[in-house]
Amino acid sequence: QGQYLVMDFIEGQDLEELRVQAGGKLSDAQVLPWIDQVCEALEYLHSQTPAVIHRDIKPANIKITPPDKHNPQGRAMLVDFGVAKVYDPALRTTMGARAVTPGYSPIEQYGQGATDTRSDIYALGATLYSLLTGQAPPEAPGRAAQDALLPPGQANPAISPAVEDVILKSLRMNPQLRCQEVGEFRAVISSQLSISSGQMPVVTQAPASPPIVHKAAAPAVAPSPSPLSPATLGVPLPQARRPFPWKWVMAGVLVGLALLLAGL
């Protein structure tokens, strides 16, 4: 009677729904952790032998599960493998198996070449572009004639230069000029997440005034010892000798002579 595709049911909303609910675009603090999880899924798919190409990555095919203790923001799940294929460089995709999503599909998916892992990277960059700017990139065939891609930083100045660069690189028309592996794309996302998590909190309260220390009068300071003195070398100094009390000895002798003469 036909062919059927059975998939797990994933509870939650997709990123397209969340983008619309947010007023058109999402912040990088929300999006980057989810995109990092999508990269993890793509790394697994592309590392298979042979590689599995999703070929339909877009916000509507990324569902966010309800938050839990392990994923306070929910977890991103890549769904809808209806047009996925096993990559074979010796074969071309048949016309009946091709499917495109305007703005998210690269030029080779329109029949201008063979799709491979870099096709997914193009769609991943387009997805991140759409989520952060609120608009999908122009359709690939139109870009082939006259590339009118607006840099994402102009549509959303809050996008970091590193994220903007990796988006633009992923959206190159020539697959040879894109990120060649998902790991290259993910490394930029991970570095931005590390920077965000390592930022110091902003101090909104003025620090307390330092305590006032009353200085006592400085004691008399003895001359500094010479560099080779015993004090410098750690040798205990000898105790200073007191002068011998000659005058008291002489007084005692005189008193003794006087008593001796008086007894005589």
Side-chain angles (χ1 to χ4, degrees), residues 111-258:
Q112 304 296 320
T115 54
D116 58 22
T117 57
R118 296 169 298 183
S119 304
D120 280 349
I121 292 174
Y122 182 100
L124 181 63
T127 296
L128 185 54
Y129 182 102
S130 173
L131 295 172
L132 294 179
T133 66
Q135 57 189 6
E139 196 168 357
R143 291 186 59 202
Q146 182 179 0
D147 194 350
L149 179 66
L150 179 70
Q154 293 185 21
N156 182 359
I159 298 175
S160 70
V163 171
E164 180 179 42
D165 288 345
V166 78
I167 290 175
L168 292 175
K169 186 174 182 180
S170 299
L171 290 175
R172 296 285 183 87
M173 298 296 293
N174 185 348
Q176 297 290 340
L177 301 179
R178 298 174 198 160
C179 298
Q180 297 300 292
E181 296 181 352
V182 176
E184 182 182 349
F185 188 102
R186 190 182 185 188
V188 177
I189 303 302
S190 299
S191 66
Q192 291 302 302
L193 291 173
S194 299
I195 292 172
S196 299
S197 62
Q199 288 179 343
M200 298 297 293
V202 178
V203 178
T204 57
Q205 182 178 0
S209 300
I212 299 176
V213 179
H214 297 280
K215 295 183 178 180
V221 180
S224 300
S226 64
L228 297 181
S229 65
T232 304
L233 299 175
V235 178
L237 292 172
Q239 297 292 329
R241 296 182 179 181
R242 296 181 178 180
F244 194 80
W246 291 107
K247 62 179 182 179
W248 298 111
V249 173
M250 294 302 296
V253 172
L254 293 176
V255 170
L257 290 176

Side-chain angles (χ1 to χ4, degrees), residues 18 27 29-31 33-34 64-68 70-76:
L18 294 176
S27 68
Q30 292 175 293
V31 171
W34 292 331
I64 307 301
T65 64
D68 56 34
H70 300 294
N71 299 283
Q73 285 188 295
R75 181 166 182 83

